Amino acid sequence: MTTDIHWFSIAEATELIVARKLSPVEFTEALLRRIEGIEGRVNAFITVDGDAAMTAASTAADAIAKGGEHGPLHGVPVALKDIFGLAGVRMTAGSKILAENVAAEDAEATARLRAAGAIIPGKLNLHEFAFGATGVNPHYGAARNPWDLERITGGSSSGSGASVAGGECAAALGTDTGGSIRIPASLCGIVGLKPTYGRVSRRGVLPLSWSLDHVGPMTRTVEDAAIILQVIAGRDTAEASTSDEPVPDYTQGLRGGVQGLRIGVPKQFFFENVDAEVESAVRSALSLLEAMGAVILEVAVPLISEIPGGVTAIMLPEALAYHQKWMSERPDDYGDDVRYRLELGATFLAVHYVQAQRLRELAIEAWRAETFSKVDLIATPTTPITARAIEQGDLQVTFNLIRFTNPFNFLGVPAISVPCGFSGEGLPVGLQLAGRWWDEATVLRAAHAYEQATDWHQRRPPL
């Protein structure tokens, strides 16, 4: 067996495991060795539970040997951002306040992964309480970008991005409130999918902003993102925000190509103040999609100048509502940047919050009528910049990182980041594709077609 087992995709690994050409024990051991070998430099994990992972791998191997039933993730290690409940394992949320907190039960998404046969090797680093876009954490240290260890990963799902990009796990779960899956996916050169709001249960996941939070997969290929989404998507009767909307077979139409697909390029906002190398990579990706048969159209994006303010007026008060007790009793236990954002939440009045939620309704109606009636997808850069140096992870960098992602949290539509190039410094660039509500299938199909026509996803960081 190749020495590069840790780079196997989910699709590759499961095919080999079912064929008894790769043991779950062998796969898990390879990934744990990888973690041991590079974690001192990457800092992607807060907790590694190697013993539990190996026990689960042995159980999975026994089931295969006995010819038992197996799920779509049988024997595959998938790590969790450290705000997902994993029964009996600490859940710190990247904070000092919850440093000794132990989850009493699995989050719903965790339970679905395990029911599908996944092995959980540990819990991943993140921006404190998922409230930031850089991944610089004052309590557990910054997760470091595998492409350049002096650079940020993006956040808040920083460890998720770093661990997948660095070959420490086959996939990871992240959360996305203003871009926290897609930003690290873009900066780390992997795939990150934010599903439609309500597609995946958030029960057992520590909240940042209830009406903006999304759960989704972070993987090295689009096919793997589809496989993970298939497992975690669907109604959770114990979580009111989830939907009864039918869940299609995401892998079935993955290879349908982009012929005739209408892809909208926004006339304003999404290409303003963008690094030249980022814009060049994204424009080249659009040209390739057009050559592959997609129809590229300029499109209006209604209320786009008002949407970022609406996100802020919802996110900050909702975050403060969750943190109010700790902010009263333990304010000094927060990192400076997170405490500052929570203090800002107190400056918003109820009328501001209500107006922002009303704006959200108007924006959804306008995008449905004026934008998604004309195109199937929207294409933009995921972030206007590449990964900055860790010491530059300030508020201005945060503002830049979230500019092109948070409108799609506000709207609640599915959006994916897929690698589309590298800067002259060897830093990844991401293409963002957003689709209609509940139409993750088309988002995945277009992303997969682009991915398979390029080799960006096959490149590996110099670790």
Side-chain angles (χ1 to χ4, degrees), residues 3 23 49 110 141 161 171 176 190 197 214 221 287 363 378 392 459:
T3 57
S23 164
D49 196 354
T110 306
D176 193 312
I190 63 170
Y197 182 81
H214 300 66
T221 70
S287 295
I378 299 292
Q392 295 174 359
R459 302 191 184 190

Side-chain angles (χ1 to χ4, degrees), residues 35-345:
I35 292 169
E36 183 179 3
I38 71 170
E39 186 55 22
R41 290 177 285 159
V42 175
N43 196 35
F45 282 82
I46 289 176
T47 300
V48 177
D49 196 354
D51 289 343
M54 288 306 302
T55 297
S58 295
T59 300
D62 289 344
I64 289 289
K66 294 174 182 176
E69 293 185 5
H70 52 81
L73 297 174
H74 192 93
V76 174
V78 179
L80 303 173
K81 183 177 183 177
D82 200 19
I83 56 173
F84 286 81
L86 178 62
V89 177
R90 69 176 183 153
M91 181 173 70
T92 71
S95 71
K96 180 179 180 180
I97 289 171
L98 293 178
E100 303 304 323
N101 174 58
V102 174
E105 59 185 8
D106 284 352
E108 176 64 14
T110 306
R112 293 190 185 198
L113 287 179
R114 297 220 271 194
I119 293 164
I120 312 298
K123 309 292 291 299
L124 295 162
N125 203 352
L126 67 154
H127 206 111
E128 182 184 6
F129 282 116
F131 206 178
T134 64
V136 177
N137 186 305
H139 311 296
Y140 299 89
R144 293 177 176 270
N145 196 313
W147 293 95
D148 181 342
L149 295 172
E150 300 307 313
R151 305 272 180 160
I152 61 172
T153 58
S156 62
S157 305
S158 54
S160 300
S163 64
V164 174
E168 294 180 279
C169 56
L173 287 192
T175 58
D176 193 312
T177 307
S180 291
I181 286 172
R182 291 159 290 152
I183 292 167
S186 177
L187 269 53
C188 293
I190 63 170
V191 175
L193 174 65
K194 180 193 80 67
T196 307
Y197 182 81
R199 178 62 94 184
V200 178
S201 174
R202 296 165 299 147
R203 183 163 58 90
V205 180
L206 189 144
L208 172 56
S209 173
W210 292 280
S211 67
L212 295 170
D213 291 344
H214 300 66
V215 166
M218 300 174 71
T219 60
R220 286 190 292 274
T221 70
V222 175
E223 182 179 17
D224 284 359
I227 292 169
I228 294 279
L229 182 61
Q230 195 73 54
V231 167
I232 63 175
R235 173 74 169 153
D236 174 8
T237 56
E239 214 267 85
S241 72
T242 57
S243 173
D244 289 323
E245 189 74 21
V247 177
D249 185 335
Y250 292 117
T251 59
Q252 187 175 32
L254 208 56
R255 291 164 178 79
V258 295
Q259 184 68 41
L261 203 64
R262 299 169 301 167
I263 300 178
V265 179
K267 296 177 183 178
Q268 70 267 46
F269 185 80
F270 286 99
F271 286 87
E272 297 171 2
N273 301 314
V274 177
D275 282 0
E277 290 179 310
V278 171
E279 180 167 3
S280 176
V282 172
R283 296 286 186 188
S284 295
L286 291 171
S287 295
L288 178 56
L289 285 165
E290 187 172 36
M292 293 165 61
V295 179
I296 307 298
L297 302 168
E298 275 200 341
V299 67
V301 281
L303 298 171
I304 191 60
S305 61
E306 290 87 357
I307 285 175
V311 172
T312 301
I314 292 171
M315 184 190 301
L316 268 59
E318 288 189 350
L320 179 60
Y322 181 80
H323 287 270
Q324 188 171 26
K325 185 174 186 293
W326 292 326
M327 278 292 287
S328 297
E329 298 175 355
R330 305 179 61 178
D332 293 338
D333 286 341
Y334 288 94
D336 291 342
D337 65 325
V338 171
R339 184 174 59 251
Y340 171 72
R341 293 186 187 108
L342 290 169
E343 289 169 346
L344 279 182

Side-chain angles (χ1 to χ4, degrees), residues 334-396:
Y334 288 94
D336 291 342
D337 65 325
V338 171
R339 184 174 59 251
Y340 171 72
R341 293 186 187 108
L342 290 169
E343 289 169 346
L344 279 182
T347 68
F348 288 87
L349 302 176
V351 66
H352 300 142
Y353 179 82
V354 172
Q355 287 171 340
Q357 291 288 11
R358 177 56 180 151
L359 172 66
R360 191 179 198 176
E361 294 177 5
L362 295 173
I364 289 171
E365 292 170 5
W367 279 64
R368 183 175 282 121
E370 300 176 36
T371 306
F372 285 117
S373 64
K374 298 178 176 65
V375 296
D376 304 297
L377 297 169
I378 299 292
T380 78
T382 307
T383 61
I385 60 176
T386 53
R388 296 304 195 237
I390 289 172
E391 63 268 19
Q392 295 174 359
D394 58 13
L395 287 176
Q396 184 58 45

